[in-house]
Amino acid sequence: MNNSLALRQSILLLGMAFSGSLLAQTFVYVSAAEDGNIARYALNERTGALKHLGDTPAGGKVMPMAISPDKKTLYAAVRSQPMRLASWSVNGKSGALTPSSACMAAASYPYISLDRQGRFLLAASYDSGLVHVYRLGADGKLAAPFISEVETGHAAHSVIVDATNRSAYVGVLGTDRVLQLALHPDGQLTPLEPGFVATAEKSGPRHSALSPDNRFLYNVGEMSGAITQFVRQPDGTLTKVADYPSAVAEKYQLQHGVERTASYSDTTPRIWAADIHITPDGHFLYVTERTSSTVTGYRVSPQDGKLQLINSWRVEKQPRGIAITPDGRWLIASGEKSAVIGSYAIKESGELQRVAEAPVGKDANWVAIASIQ
């Protein structure tokens, strides 16, 4: 009798655990700039399959996106006139987006991010050489005008906040610098002396990723394809540790990159790196290169954060954006010249295996993921 009761209790607990896992929903959002839409997908957490659920009009050339820490709000920047920032409430059951707020943008932003507490939206402007901070209401709604402005130098391309929520880092493509800034409780940004760290000349610092333990920052150079590793000091300043050269330049016979303006017409195959992300457990780091249409993976040393090349894989054509699920099992890649997005399993070795695809609109560029309990 006791054994029978124990068995029934075990079955009940197993059923409850299984039902709980079903309540976790993972939604993938991809901005299709040319179509002016944000595509929405459900990700099967067991198989990596993607199901296209619909498209949400953004009213213009929508590109960078960011999701609030509580996963209740999606933010995006529209880079066509009239330039603006917009937010949508995320339905926790369906992933559907409902317009929440919008405001005029003070510049064209190729990159936006949120602070770790969801109180501020930070935006980097390539065209204007500026970083702006916008306040978010208690309900997550945008408020204009911006409350802080930093002149970055030519071609600011990203801005991220560290785990302490006290430091911000800006990749500035045109000056070969990563700015190091203090983020104050009121949203103001001030330099952490001497205000920046340098990368290699003409590397074109683009996007950055922080290790989950907050010890290291990795920046990918758009024009060199190299990854620069910095160690983060207790005061938020950075010290350069190492450079890791492009893993695909020689294989695909790519020349050193150049800055690509609207009038760019050079047909020479050149390095054109884009995005960088690290898995939530800090074990693997991945970067995209658009000319070769590849993602390259590295193992990350738990001791000193140094990188060891795993491999490079062909993915969607001209991959501008990638994102990794919170459980670290799946990588989603978009391609600006691809009619589909791809889902890739991250194996225990860090190798990528393509498992699924789903249709997407034109000029797919930014990928954001929300896993909701």
Side-chain angles (χ1 to χ4, degrees), residues 221-226 244-257 269-273 287-294 296 298 309 312:
E222 176 174 318
M223 297 180 291
S224 67
Y244 305 90
S246 168
V248 297
E250 184 176 353
K251 180 178 180 180
Y252 293 97
Q253 299 182 330
L254 305 180
Q255 301 299 309
H256 194 90
R270 295 187 181 277
I271 298 170
W272 197 20
V287 297
T288 70
E289 200 290 312
R290 285 174 283 185
T291 302
S292 61
S293 295
T294 57
T296 297
Y298 299 84
L309 177 66
S312 298

Side-chain angles (χ1 to χ4, degrees), residues 234-245:
D235 64 355
T237 58
L238 301 174
T239 302
K240 184 176 175 180
V241 174
D243 285 309
Y244 305 90

Side-chain angles (χ1 to χ4, degrees), residues 120-179:
F120 306 108
L121 181 145
L122 296 86
S125 176
Y126 183 103
D127 298 330
S128 302
L130 297 168
V131 163
H132 289 144
V133 179
Y134 292 81
R135 191 182 303 280
L136 301 175
D139 54 4
K141 292 184 178 180
L142 290 154
F146 59 83
I147 59 173
S148 180
E149 178 180 88
V150 174
E151 294 185 359
T152 62
H154 175 56
H157 223 313
S158 63
V159 55
I160 61 172
V161 175
D162 85 305
T164 70
N165 215 48
R166 296 196 296 266
S167 304
Y169 303 101
V170 181
V172 188
L173 181 146
T175 64
D176 296 320
R177 293 177 174 181
V178 175
L179 304 190

Side-chain angles (χ1 to χ4, degrees), residues 46-273:
R46 291 183 298 104
T47 67
L50 291 164
K51 181 181 180 181
H52 183 214
L53 301 176
D55 299 302
T56 300
K61 187 179 180 181
V62 59
M63 295 184 73
M65 298 186 296
I67 292 179
S68 61
D70 63 9
K71 307 300 185 291
K72 293 182 178 181
T73 309
L74 176 73
Y75 300 87
V78 175
R79 301 186 69 192
S80 55
Q81 295 293 344
M83 292 182 294
R84 59 199 179 279
L85 294 166
S87 70
W88 292 263
S89 297
V90 177
N91 185 301
K93 294 182 178 180
S94 67
L97 301 177
T98 301
S100 174
S101 66
C103 68
M104 300 303 295
S108 175
Y109 302 125
Y111 197 106
I112 62 172
S113 63
L114 269 63
D115 77 305
R116 300 299 179 112
Q117 297 174 357
R119 298 176 58 224
F120 306 108
L121 181 145
L122 296 86
S125 176
Y126 183 103
D127 298 330
S128 302
L130 297 168
V131 163
H132 289 144
V133 179
Y134 292 81
R135 191 182 303 280
L136 301 175
D139 54 4
K141 292 184 178 180
L142 290 154
F146 59 83
I147 59 173
S148 180
E149 178 180 88
V150 174
E151 294 185 359
T152 62
H154 175 56
H157 223 313
S158 63
V159 55
I160 61 172
V161 175
D162 85 305
T164 70
N165 215 48
R166 296 196 296 266
S167 304
Y169 303 101
V170 181
V172 188
L173 181 146
T175 64
D176 296 320
R177 293 177 174 181
V178 175
L179 304 190
Q180 48 193 29
L181 307 170
L183 174 63
H184 299 278
D186 61 357
Q188 297 300 305
L189 292 171
T190 58
L192 289 167
E193 293 301 329
F196 69 91
V197 285
T199 62
E201 186 178 356
K202 296 183 179 179
S203 65
R206 186 178 164 95
H207 292 182
S208 297
L210 280 157
S211 60
D213 61 12
N214 212 38
R215 289 192 298 155
F216 305 104
L217 181 140
Y218 303 89
N219 178 273
V220 62
E222 176 174 318
M223 297 180 291
S224 67
I227 300 169
T228 304
Q229 178 191 356
F230 301 92
V231 63
R232 184 181 176 279
Q233 306 298 339
D235 64 355
T237 58
L238 301 174
T239 302
K240 184 176 175 180
V241 174
D243 285 309
Y244 305 90
S246 168
V248 297
E250 184 176 353
K251 180 178 180 180
Y252 293 97
Q253 299 182 330
L254 305 180
Q255 301 299 309
H256 194 90
V258 295
E259 186 176 349
R260 304 196 180 205
T261 63
S263 60
Y264 182 84
S265 60
D266 185 1
T267 58
T268 304
R270 295 187 181 277
I271 298 170
W272 197 20

